Amino acid sequence: MTASRDTAVLRVAAELRSEILSGRIALGSPLREEPLAARFGVSRHTVRTALANLAGTGLVRTAPFVGARVPPFDEAEAAALQDLRRALESEAADLLHRRYGGAPWPQAVLAPIDAALGRLRAAERDGDEAETLQAHSAVHRALVAAAGSPRITRAHEQLSDELSLLLLHARPRYGAGELERQHRALLADVQRLGAPPVREHLDDTLERLGIPRQA
Amino acid sequence: MTASRDTAVLRVAAELRSEILSGRIALGSPLREEPLAARFGVSRHTVRTALANLAGTGLVRTAPFVGARVPPFDEAEAAALQDLRRALESEAADLLHRRYGGAPWPQAVLAPIDAALGRLRAAERDGDEAETLQAHSAVHRALVAAAGSPRITRAHEQLSDELSLLLLHARPRYGAGELERQHRALLADVQRLGAPPVREHLDDTLERLGIPRQA
DNA sequence: AGGGCGAGGATTGTGTAACAATCCTCGCCG
DNA sequence: CGGCGAGGATTGTTACACAATCCTCGCCCT
């Protein structure tokens, strides 16, 4: 899974991303260039541009002359993240709802979402927490991708990484099979009603993180 | 105005950004590292990371071993951009509308938007096309910023650059003072009605670019 | 004892030079 | 006229060096 991609900086960036999203790198800990360069067997320049990449996706934050670290989240930032998420997901839902006029969506559109739901079911069944997190994230990504608006999809994918990082450390608790049930219901509701169910769903998520939505 | 910022790569990135947004660099033209390094008196490394920065904001697009170029837009991309824009601006409008319940917004919230509208008025009066474009963009940014959701604001600011680039080359035509009138009306409508007027406004913009909104 | 202050190490920012990897053009050959 | 290399152009990466900035820690003064 430590796939070798095209260029060295993509490899390093992918590896760092995986380490951050798996929690192997703690929140707030600085990422020093020289040790990373030594560890990956690349030059500092390469590490440096890999870190700049990650900074673009929000997985690390950098400041001049102080370097990169994976950002800790406070409640305000979690709420801000969720605002952006609501913007993207509700617009996607609205696009889909308008496109199909409240009727059930074609099988071709539903298939990827169903696949993601299946993955979520399996992850919850196995009690694999990390995989559940990833699968949950994949369900939302699939829903947004179904809208077929590439820029919304891209923005959401970026956001998704940051969100995974947040959820990885906030660790909201769900009952067995609850996530899959909840999202199957969401999918049905969105087909009939469009964006509003998505908003409710996201507000619920935020509440479970202990952050009451403000006016 | 070619301000010297903190680091060399920020300077170079800012200068390139300004050249792209002013149209001094043509759409589709490649940005070669060596000539740029020579021109700015910096090393190729510096140019390279500056370009990577710009790639993150969408002002240039890069592919491994082929380099960076400022992306040309086709209709599909313009529509995709506008989808994302609608997601962000309508969510911002909705946040504001829910916060103030359809009542007029406080002066403190309106002030920056009014300032931007004033700038737009002046630009239109002077017939300065470039400044009109920038001022128009600033009005939308001010509206989004008023919602006070930092991540939506940031995403919209990024988008704004790309949008300016698109509009710079698409050049929709407006009558004298039309933009200011239209946006003052929009501001009034958004206070009463929330997101829907924003959606209409953006659909109208897209139509003027000759791109009919699809289902 | 406690709080500024500065010296020096640690870390990042940038440059130079070089070479490897890949792309791309252009002329040759069939 | 179209495929195909050869070689130049361009990007990706490395190593090393040094400047700029940050940051820690011990000193000094009160």
Side-chain angles (χ1 to χ4, degrees):
Chain A
M1 187 47 64
T2 7
S4 81
R5 291 212 215 164
D6 246 353
T7 69
V9 355
L10 289 179
R11 264 195 336 253
V12 172
E15 174 62 21
L16 283 176
R17 170 177 176 277
S18 134
E19 294 192 9
I20 293 170
L21 288 181
S22 71
R24 263 170 289 166
I25 299 181
L27 286 194
S29 66
L31 295 157
R32 301 296 179 200
E33 297 174 358
E34 203 119 29
L36 289 176
R39 183 146 76 78
F40 291 121
V42 300
S43 87
R44 251 185 72 214
H45 279 297
T46 302
V47 170
R48 168 174 266 289
T49 67
L51 288 175
N53 273 12
L54 291 180
T57 77
L59 281 186
V60 306
R61 230 164 270 172
T62 67
F65 294 104
V66 327
R69 53 191 60 206
V70 14
F73 296 95
D74 56 16
E75 291 197 356
E77 280 186 280
L81 219 57
Q82 198 74 343
D83 278 345
L84 177 53
R85 189 187 183 193
R86 178 169 33 233
L88 300 175
E89 297 198 13
S90 72
E91 180 69 18
D94 193 57
L95 278 170
L96 282 161
H97 183 250
R98 282 208 311 255
R99 175 142 60 229
Y100 300 114
W105 302 342
Q107 186 51 36
V109 171
L110 287 174
I113 309 177
D114 268 327
L117 281 168
R119 181 179 164 198
L120 179 56
R121 170 198 221 97
E124 286 195 291
R125 175 177 18 83
D126 300 349
D128 182 337
E129 200 171 339
E131 169 65 7
T132 300
L133 177 61
Q134 291 308 313
H136 178 187
S137 166
V139 170
H140 283 269
R141 276 202 308 280
L143 184 60
V144 170
S149 190
R151 297 305 301 255
I152 292 183
T153 303
R154 240 188 27 166
H156 185 267
E157 272 166 5
Q158 266 202 18
L159 184 62
S160 205
D161 272 0
E162 265 187 279
L163 216 52
S164 292
L165 183 57
L166 171 64
L167 293 175
L168 175 67
H169 292 89
R171 301 185 161 269
R173 286 282 160 195
Y174 291 94
E178 185 182 355
L179 273 175
E180 193 220 348
R181 272 198 307 278
Q182 184 181 322
H183 285 80
R184 280 206 191 279
L186 174 64
L187 179 56
D189 290 345
V190 171
Q191 291 182 64
R192 279 189 304 120
L193 304 171
V198 170
R199 299 176 165 273
E200 285 167 32
H201 176 89
L202 295 181
D203 285 342
D204 176 66
T205 301
L206 201 55
E207 262 174 44
R208 297 213 186 203
L209 292 176
I211 300 159
R213 70 177 168 291
Q214 63 268 8
Chain B
M1 186 45 66
T2 7
S4 79
R5 292 215 213 161
D6 247 352
T7 67
V9 356
L10 289 180
R11 264 196 335 253
V12 172
E15 174 61 20
L16 284 176
R17 170 177 176 278
S18 133
E19 293 192 9
I20 292 171
L21 287 181
S22 70
R24 263 170 289 165
I25 299 182
L27 286 194
S29 66
L31 295 157
R32 300 297 177 200
E33 297 175 358
E34 204 120 28
L36 289 176
R39 182 145 76 81
F40 291 122
V42 299
S43 85
R44 251 185 72 215
H45 279 299
T46 302
V47 169
R48 169 173 265 289
T49 68
L51 288 174
N53 272 12
L54 291 180
T57 75
L59 282 186
V60 306
R61 230 164 268 175
T62 67
F65 295 104
V66 328
R69 56 190 60 207
V70 15
F73 297 94
D74 55 17
E75 291 196 356
E77 280 187 280
L81 219 58
Q82 197 75 344
D83 279 343
L84 177 54
R85 189 187 183 191
R86 177 168 34 231
L88 300 175
E89 296 198 11
S90 71
E91 180 69 19
D94 193 56
L95 278 171
L96 283 161
H97 182 250
R98 282 208 311 257
R99 174 143 61 231
Y100 300 114
W105 303 342
Q107 187 51 36
V109 171
L110 287 174
I113 309 177
D114 268 327
L117 282 168
R119 182 179 163 198
L120 179 56
R121 170 198 222 96
E124 284 194 293
R125 174 178 17 85
D126 300 349
D128 182 337
E129 200 170 340
E131 169 65 7
T132 300
L133 177 61
Q134 291 307 314
H136 178 188
S137 166
V139 170
H140 283 269
R141 276 202 308 277
L143 183 61
V144 170
S149 190
R151 297 304 300 255
I152 292 184
T153 304
R154 242 189 24 166
H156 185 267
E157 271 166 5
Q158 266 201 19
L159 185 62
S160 206
D161 273 0
E162 265 187 278
L163 216 52
S164 292
L165 182 57
L166 171 64
L167 292 175
L168 176 66
H169 292 89
R171 303 184 161 267
R173 285 284 159 193
Y174 291 94
E178 184 182 356
L179 273 175
E180 191 219 349
R181 274 197 308 278
Q182 184 182 322
H183 286 81
R184 281 207 189 277
L186 173 64
L187 179 57
D189 290 344
V190 170
Q191 292 183 62
R192 281 189 303 119
L193 305 171
V198 170
R199 297 174 166 277
E200 285 167 32
H201 176 87
L202 295 181
D203 284 342
D204 176 66
T205 301
L206 201 54
E207 261 174 45
R208 296 212 188 204
L209 292 176
I211 299 160
R213 69 177 170 291
Q214 65 267 9

